[in-house]
């Protein structure tokens, strides 16, 4: 399955030139995730509480031409620590390689399928 390459709007001041991702790069938008949260048991966790190393869910906004298992619009799980961020038109995104992604959540993923990288 070959994912088509995606283009995203270019940075401010670039006359609206589109940006095309190369190789197996994946551009994701991480949800705000800031503020207070509630555990499944109902305990309020303040925004100032520090969590251990956690994986993060994000939405894929663009993929490079060599990304094989990921498509735009998928939700992906990855380790956000030490991943480069980029700002485009005032929005912050995270740049990943396909191998940095631990899991995919998408309607097309079948029940018994395994991931690309285990």
């Amino acid at each position: 399955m070959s994912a088509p390459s995606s283009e995203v709007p270019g940075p401010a001041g670039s006359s609206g030139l589109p940006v095309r991702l190369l190789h197996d790069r994946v551009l994701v938008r991480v949800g705000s995730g800031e503020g207070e949260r509630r555990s499944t048991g109902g305990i309020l966790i303040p925004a100032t509480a520090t969590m251990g190393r956690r994986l993060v869910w994000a939405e894929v906004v663009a993929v490079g031409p060599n990304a094989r298992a990921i498509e735009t619009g998928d939700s992906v799980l990855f380790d956000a620590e030490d991943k480069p961020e980029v700002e485009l038109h005032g929005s912050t995104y995270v740049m990943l390689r396909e191998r940095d992604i631990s899991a995919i959540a998408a309607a097309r993923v079948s029940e018994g399928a395994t991931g690309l990288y285990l």
Side-chain angles (χ1 to χ4, degrees):
M1 156 175 28
S2 172
S5 63
S6 303
E7 292 185 358
V8 293
S14 66
S15 303
L17 294 175
V19 175
R20 184 180 332 161
L21 299 182
L22 301 176
H23 311 297
D24 68 339
R25 298 300 196 270
V26 179
L27 190 67
V28 299
R29 179 184 308 119
V30 179
S32 65
E34 298 174 5
E36 295 179 341
R37 295 175 289 128
R38 215 170 262 290
S39 71
T40 54
I43 299 171
L44 184 65
I45 302 170
T48 56
T50 57
M51 301 297 290
R53 192 169 166 163
R54 283 181 74 141
L55 296 179
V56 176
W57 284 102
E59 177 190 358
V60 176
V61 295
V63 295
N66 295 339
R68 300 186 309 175
I70 299 167
E71 295 179 7
T72 303
D74 289 352
S75 291
V76 294
L77 185 67
F78 69 99
D79 181 3
E81 195 169 308
D82 295 328
K83 297 296 181 235
E85 293 184 352
V86 63
E87 186 173 321
L88 296 170
H89 290 296
S91 297
T92 302
Y93 301 94
V94 176
M95 182 71 69
L96 302 168
R97 291 187 124 167
E98 189 174 27
R99 69 177 177 217
D100 296 332
I101 295 171
S102 300
I104 301 170
R108 71 177 191 289
V109 177
S110 64
E111 182 85 17
T114 60
L116 180 60
Y117 302 106
L118 298 178

